Amino acid sequence: MKNSGLARAARSTRGAPKTSGDAVAAAIIANGGSPHRLATRNAPKLDAAELKQLLRTMLVIRAFETRTTELFHSGLVKGTAHSSVGQEAVAAGAGYPLLRSDFIATHHRGHGHCIAKGADVSRMMAELLGRKDGICGGLGGSMHVADIGLNIIGANGIVGASMGLGIGAALAAKQRMSTDAGVAIFGDGGANEGIFHEALNMAAIWKLPIVFLCENNQYGLSTSFLESTAGGSVSARAAGYGVPGETIDGNDVVAVYAAVDEAIARARAGEGPTLIEAITYRHGDHSMRANLPGYREDEEVERWKAMDPINRCVSMMMERGALTDDEYEALVAETDAEIERAVEFARNSPEPDLESLAPAVSAPFKSTGVVEPAPGTRELTYLEALKEAMAQEMERDERVFVIGEDVGPIGGTFGVTRGLFQRFGKDRLMNTPISEMGIAGAAVGSAVCGRRPIAEIQIFDFVTFMMDMIVNQAAKLRYMLGGSPTVPVVFRGPQGGGIRLAAQHSQSLEAWFAHVPGLVVVAPSTPYDAKGLLIASIRDDNPVMFLEHKMLYLGQAAPVPETPYEIPLGKADVKREGTDVTVIATQVMVERALQAADMLARENISVEVIDPRTLRPLDMDCFIRSVKKTHRCVVVHEAWRTGGLGGEIAAQINERAFDWLDAPVERLGAMEVPMPYNDKLERAVIPNQNAIADAVRRVCYR
C-alpha cells in the first residue's frame, strides 16, 4: 500500500481559527471520557481525493482488524492480538502528514498505525499467522509488527516503550541535520509510566522533532482512565514541560490530521515536541484473548459505537458532496478484497524453521583480520585508555556520540569522558537529566535509526532503571523484527566494590546480562584490553554491556598502542601460562589471580590464568583447551556465586571436559551479602589473592 503522506508534509494548519467542539466534548464526557474541553479547528480544506484516501485507510484498518478477529477465533492467529476497531481515525489522521523518511513508534495495538504508515498488509497478515513471509519473519507477531525500511521502528509489547524509542529516533533525525520528524504513539495507560515524563522532558530540553500522541481509548486494560489519571487530562501535562499540548476528538479523522500536521510542521521547523491527546474508544475488549468479566456498561459501548469514526467520516463526506453511496460501496469492496488477498498470501506462506532463529538474535561479529598489536612502551591508565578509545572512534565515525548524566564539562563521575566535551562539543557529548530510562531509550532508538551511541551509566547499579530498554528492546528488537535491523549501542560504566560505596553502589551484575540472548557482555581487566575491546564494541552491530570495574580506574598505567585497534569480541586471553591448574578470573580478579599464581609458584604449583574478557559469548574453547592440559580449574569473580557466571563456566567445563578433570571445578565469589560500608568488612567479603591461592590448593591437593 502506497504511503498516503508523501504529498502532505508541507501542509500546515498552524494558527487556524478554533470552532466550538462542545457537542463532541459533551458526548465524550457523558460516556466516561476526559472531563475537559477539546481543542478544535476549522476543518482543513481537503479535497475529495484526499478525504477518500483518509477514508480508504480507515477501511483497510477496519477490514484488517475484523478479519484478524475471525482468524483468531478460528485458530489461525495464535497467542493474542489487540484490535483497534473504533480507533481508526487516530491512525489514519496521524499517518497522513508523514513522509516515508519520518518515523513512527507505536504500542501493542499498533496494526492500524503501521498500515497508515504504508506497511504491506499481506506481510502483516503473514506475521500475525507466524509465517516466514511475515513482515518480521514470523518471529515478532501481532504486538511487534515493524518495518525499518519504512521507519516503522516497532509496535511494542512493553507499555510506554514507544516514547523512549521515539526520542532516540528523533535524536537521530536531529543529528543527521535532516528535516525528518516522527510520532510516538502510546495509550492512556502509557501516559502514567515514568518514561512518559523522562521522554517528554528530554525532548523538550533538546527540542527534538517528535509528536507525542496519546491514543486515549478510556481504559488501561480494564481500569478506567478517570480512575487512573490525576487531573483528568494527559495533554495538560505538557504545560509542565513548556511544550504545546491539546486534547482532540480522536474519532474525527480530519481533526486528528489537522493536529498532527501542525505538530509535525513545528517539529520540522526545529520548534520541538508537541503532546496531543486523542480521545477515542475501542469497540472490543482489551485483547482477543482477554475474555475478561464485564467492566464496561453495554450502554456506554453502544453510545461510543454511535460515534464510529468511519461512519462520521462517510457522513461528513456525503454532506460535502465528496462521496456517493456507490463510491463508498466500491471502496468497501476494494478494501475487503485487499484484505482477503492478504489472508490468502498469509495462508500460503511457509512456517519459519529453527535454522532461522539464531541468525536473527545477533548480527555477526565483524572480523577485522588484524592481529592484535604489540602493547609497545607508551603507557596509559585504564581510564585514559577508555577515553582514548572513545575519542578515536568519535573522530573516525560521526555517528558515534556519548550520552549520559554529567558526561559534559566535568567528564562524568569518575572522569572517563573528561576533556571530550571541550573537544567534540555538546552535540557529541550529550549531557542528560537524571533520566536512566530516557537515556536508555534515546540510545536504543537512535541506534536502530543508524547512530552509534555510547550510553554511560553513571553508577552501574542504576542499570536497574534501564532494564526494559536493555533486555526487552535492545536485546530483542533485531530478533522480533526478523533479523533485519542492527542495534549498535554500547552501555558502559563502573561496577563493583572496593571504594566503600556500600550496598546500592557496589554490585557486580554481569550475570544478569550474560543470561540474555542478543546482548554482548564485555569486561576488560587491563588498559590494553580496555581500549581494544571498547573500540571493537563501538564498531559492533550488537548491543554491548561494557563493564568497567571501579578499582581498575585506580590502577597503574600499562603499555597501550597509540593507533586504534580492535580486540575481537568473544576471545579470551591467557594472561599466564601454567600446567597444574587453570584459574579463570574476571575484571579486578585477574590481577589478584596473577598475584596468587606468583605466591603458588614458590610452592611448585604452576597456575594458568585466563581472562575471558568477553562474558557473552564465552570463549569456552580456550577454557577447555587449558583444562584438558591442567586437569583442574578454579573460576573466580567478585559477583556472588549463586546464579553467577562461575556456575555457567563450571557447568560447561563439566559437560565438555569431565573426563579430563582430576577434581571438581571450584567457584569463588563474594560472600552472599550486600556490600558492607565498613572498609574492613568490604575487603573481607570480596575474594583476594589469598582466597584464590587457597582455592587452588584445595583443587590441587584434594
Side-chain angles (χ1 to χ4, degrees):
M1 183 177 162
K2 194 172 181 181
N3 186 351
S4 61
L6 293 178
R8 307 303 320 152
R11 182 185 296 274
S12 172
T13 57
R14 188 178 352 173
K18 310 290 185 180
T19 58
S20 174
D22 289 346
V24 174
I28 289 173
I29 292 167
N31 288 280
S34 182
H36 57 280
R37 184 183 177 92
L38 298 177
T40 57
R41 294 170 171 77
N42 280 338
K45 297 300 182 182
L46 300 176
D47 62 29
E50 293 170 319
L51 291 170
K52 284 177 183 174
Q53 184 59 55
L54 287 170
L55 175 60
R56 188 186 191 284
T57 300
M58 289 196 289
L59 289 171
V60 171
I61 296 169
R62 178 68 59 91
F64 185 94
E65 299 287 47
T66 301
R67 198 68 176 92
T68 296
T69 301
E70 294 169 356
L71 294 170
F72 177 82
H73 290 303
S74 70
L76 278 174
V77 172
K78 297 178 173 63
T80 192
H82 300 78
S83 173
S84 62
V85 167
Q87 302 179 196
E88 295 88 351
V90 179
Y96 199 47
L98 301 180
L99 299 168
R100 183 187 179 97
S101 58
D102 292 328
F103 69 87
I104 65 165
T106 181
H107 51 71
H108 55 275
R109 200 180 308 281
H111 303 159
H113 310 134
C114 295
I115 290 170
K117 187 62 168 67
D120 186 295
V121 292
S122 293
R123 295 184 63 212
M124 282 182 62
M125 190 63 77
E127 186 63 31
L128 268 61
L129 268 61
R131 301 303 173 88
K132 186 175 182 179
D133 295 323
I135 204 163
C136 301
L139 303 183
S142 168
M143 289 188 286
H144 309 117
V145 173
D147 188 335
I148 295 297
L150 292 172
N151 291 294
I152 302 170
I153 62 173
N156 207 288
I158 304 299
V159 174
S162 59
M163 291 175 275
L165 296 173
I167 60 171
L171 178 58
K174 185 170 184 175
Q175 288 183 340
R176 292 193 304 267
M177 294 185 288
S178 70
T179 58
D180 297 333
V183 182
I185 307 167
F186 55 98
D188 47 287
N192 292 326
E193 293 279 1
I195 189 62
F196 169 89
H197 300 280
E198 293 193 20
L200 198 58
N201 184 54
M202 290 177 74
I205 61 176
W206 289 341
K207 291 190 179 298
L208 295 181
I210 184 171
V211 178
F212 293 94
L213 178 57
C214 177
E215 196 171 41
N216 186 345
N217 65 14
Q218 313 301 311
Y219 288 89
L221 205 148
S222 66
T223 303
S224 109
F225 173 72
L226 293 179
E227 293 174 352
S228 63
T229 305
S233 169
V234 172
S235 67
R237 297 175 180 176
Y241 300 99
V243 302
E246 63 177 328
T247 299
I248 63 172
D249 179 359
N251 281 11
D252 180 345
V253 68
V254 176
V256 176
Y257 159 71
V260 174
D261 184 52
E262 179 177 334
I264 285 288
R266 284 190 73 255
R268 292 194 203 284
E271 297 175 23
T274 301
L275 173 60
I276 299 172
E277 178 185 18
I279 304 296
T280 185
Y281 197 84
R282 53 175 162 83
H283 291 180
D285 212 335
H286 168 70
S287 75
M288 296 176 191
R289 191 182 187 88
N291 195 27
L292 299 169
Y295 55 90
R296 304 186 297 186
E297 297 292 335
D298 291 344
E299 184 183 2
E300 173 189 305
V301 176
E302 291 306 313
R303 285 201 302 266
W304 274 97
K305 285 184 177 181
M307 295 189 287
D308 182 276
I310 292 177
N311 292 342
R312 285 178 61 183
C313 183
V314 170
S315 296
M316 177 269 292
M317 290 176 67
M318 288 184 174
E319 288 174 7
R320 290 191 187 183
L323 184 72
T324 65
D325 286 334
D326 288 345
E327 288 172 330
Y328 176 62
E329 294 300 326
L331 271 177
V332 171
E334 177 187 322
T335 53
D336 284 348
E338 181 177 349
I339 298 307
E340 286 309 309
R341 290 192 296 271
V343 172
E344 187 66 19
F345 173 86
R347 287 178 182 273
N348 292 330
S349 176
E351 304 271 356
D353 51 37
L354 281 174
E355 287 70 27
S356 68
L357 300 185
V361 175
S362 299
F365 290 142
K366 297 175 181 175
S367 175
T368 62
V370 178
V371 178
E372 293 178 38
T377 59
R378 188 191 71 133
E379 293 190 341
L380 294 179
T381 65
Y382 189 92
L383 188 151
E384 290 168 340
L386 294 169
K387 184 185 304 184
E388 184 168 271
M390 285 188 282
Q392 289 179 345
E393 285 305 287
M394 292 174 77
E395 286 178 343
R396 186 188 69 87
D397 188 344
E398 60 83 24
R399 298 173 297 172
V400 178
F401 69 98
V402 178
I403 182 171
E405 297 161 11
D406 301 302
V407 299
I410 71 166
T413 302
F414 291 90
V416 181
T417 60
R418 193 162 297 155
L420 296 182
F421 182 85
Q422 291 77 6
R423 187 170 172 184
F424 293 100
K426 64 182 179 64
D427 292 332
R428 303 286 296 282
L429 269 292
M430 303 202 67
N431 215 27
T432 71
I434 297 176
S435 301
E436 277 78 16
M437 285 187 285
I439 293 166
V444 176
S446 63
V448 172
C449 293
R451 312 305 286 176
R452 290 189 172 270
I454 305 167
E456 178 170 298
I457 304 170
Q458 193 173 67
I459 299 287
F460 221 84
D461 309 68
F462 301 163
V463 79
T464 53
F465 289 103
M466 297 179 163
M467 290 299 281
D468 170 56
M469 277 295 159
I470 293 172
V471 174
N472 286 323
Q473 308 302 332
K476 296 181 176 66
L477 279 172
R478 174 181 169 85
Y479 181 81
M480 293 190 305
L481 274 59
S484 58
T486 58
V487 191
V489 56
V490 176
F491 290 94
R492 51 153 295 273
Q495 73 162 25
I499 63 172
R500 298 186 301 283
L501 293 182
Q504 294 179 338
H505 285 62
S506 305
Q507 298 169 99
S508 296
L509 302 173
E510 63 269 15
W512 290 4
F513 306 106
H515 183 66
V516 180
L519 295 179
V520 177
V521 185
V522 179
S525 67
T526 68
Y528 175 88
D529 290 348
K531 178 176 176 179
L533 288 168
L534 184 52
I535 288 176
S537 298
I538 295 168
R539 295 180 183 181
D540 193 60
D541 284 334
N542 296 293
V544 177
M545 305 304 298
F546 195 91
L547 312 176
E548 303 157 12
H549 198 286
K550 300 183 198 75
M551 292 294 288
L552 295 173
Y553 290 158
L554 307 176
Q556 298 296 312
V560 177
E562 185 172 359
T563 57
Y565 60 95
E566 293 182 62
I567 294 176
L569 302 178
K571 181 181 177 183
D573 187 38
V574 178
K575 298 296 186 186
R576 178 185 177 122
E577 299 278 353
T579 57
D580 293 328
V581 60
T582 299
V583 175
I584 301 169
T586 64
Q587 294 189 290
V588 78
M589 292 298 141
V590 175
E591 180 58 32
R592 295 181 189 183
L594 291 170
Q595 292 169 359
D598 287 339
M599 295 165 52
L600 293 163
R602 295 192 287 271
E603 303 173 25
N604 294 318
I605 299 176
S606 176
V607 179
E608 181 150 294
V609 178
I610 301 177
D611 178 0
R613 300 195 295 194
T614 302
L615 307 183
R616 186 178 183 113
L618 287 165
D619 188 356
M620 288 304 304
D621 289 342
C622 176
F623 306 159
I624 297 300
R625 284 193 302 270
S626 179
V627 169
K628 286 183 176 180
K629 176 177 64 173
T630 66
H631 309 292
R632 299 171 181 85
C633 183
V634 173
V635 185
V636 56
H637 48 59
E638 186 176 306
W640 303 295
R641 288 202 325 163
T642 302
L645 208 63
E648 176 62 29
I649 294 172
Q652 291 201 44
I653 290 173
N654 283 331
E655 290 167 357
R656 296 178 55 182
F658 181 79
D659 290 341
W660 281 267
L661 288 171
D662 289 342
V665 177
E666 177 110 4
R667 293 178 296 135
L668 193 60
M671 186 183 294
E672 301 275 334
V673 296
M675 197 65 69
Y677 169 68
N678 178 272
D679 57 343
K680 290 180 181 179
L681 291 177
E682 182 180 44
R683 287 194 295 272
V685 303
I686 299 173
N688 59 25
Q689 56 267 39
N690 293 324
I692 297 171
D694 287 343
V696 170
R697 293 185 187 102
R698 286 195 294 272
V699 300
C700 287
Y701 297 128
R702 184 170 282 156

